[in-house]
Amino acid sequence: MFDILKKTVITDNVIEYVLSAPKIAAKALPGQFILLRVDEEGERVPFTISDYDREKGTITLLIQTVGATTMQLAKMNEGDCLHDIVGPLGKATHLDADKILLVAGGIGVAVLYPQAKHLKSLGKKVVCVMGARNVSLLAYLKEMQEVCDTLYVTTDDGTYGEKGFVTNVVQRLFDQDKNAFELVFAVGPLPMMRAVCNVTKEIGVKTVVSMNPIMIDGTGMCGCCRLTVNGVTKYACVDGPEFDGHEVDFNEVINRNRYFVDIEKEHVCNLTGEVR
């Protein structure tokens, strides 16, 4: 039974869920994810494990309400039970460097928060750039402030921190010192990760990205999460979710995701009864 133990509204459309999942919590590592179904007829949707507690047997998910399944989740409350969860899936994060820059866009902070805590536990200096469209969408801000040695915050509209994009800060940090970081780990919307990779590729700094495309079975059998990395087909669920960002064909992934936009809108209309 995967009970919702705690539900916290972080921003207008971002909710944190603490779930009872002892077996998953016992094995989870930073960077891994789960697949869940709300009910027996529900779709299988991947979500990054943003935190876990082995002693309490819980996992934490930070979920943005953007589609049918997340809308169903938003209606659930503490004490409700999810139909099933599979995990932990994917390979754990392995950042083999001492000077690492973490970059989070929007809900991507759910991936970087456990990694920031892990790096801190290893005694490494934690430097992060995080951004969102506006202040209402800045999730885990307090948590990141507590764990980061240096935290840069941006918002597109300037409602908090520096006005602009995370790429502005990334570019500035390397302009100030081209050897400031050996590795960049970027997580967020596809266009944001692509933009960060465009900056770091020019500088020549390795950049790791976390890919979260559409998935179904989570075992590499269905092929829905395929992407092209360095000209070779890879599967995010078993080969990733993290890859060398300079080798990912972002345009291909973005175009594939757009194919399902109209289908998702129809699904939402069926769920809400709205007519578009």
Side-chain angles (χ1 to χ4, degrees), residues 16-17 32 47-52 59-62 109-111 113-115 117 140:
E16 180 188 78
Y17 301 85
Q32 293 186 299
F47 296 107
T48 297
I49 301 171
S50 59
D51 205 355
Y52 51 85
I59 61 172
T60 302
L61 308 178
L62 190 65
V109 71
V111 179
Y113 176 55
Q115 189 57 49
K117 289 202 303 180
Y140 280 12

Side-chain angles (χ1 to χ4, degrees), residues 2 19 24 32-38 43-49 59 61 82-90 212-220 222 225 237:
F2 301 100
L19 309 176
I24 297 176
Q32 293 186 299
F33 65 95
I34 57 91
L35 285 169
L36 67 76
R37 288 196 301 167
V38 173
E43 59 184 346
R44 294 162 62 88
V45 184
F47 296 107
T48 297
I49 301 171
I59 61 172
L61 308 178
L82 299 175
H83 187 272
D84 55 57
I85 303 178
V86 177
L89 300 171
N212 190 16
I214 295 169
M215 296 184 189
I216 295 180
D217 66 1
T219 64
C222 71
C225 67
C237 63

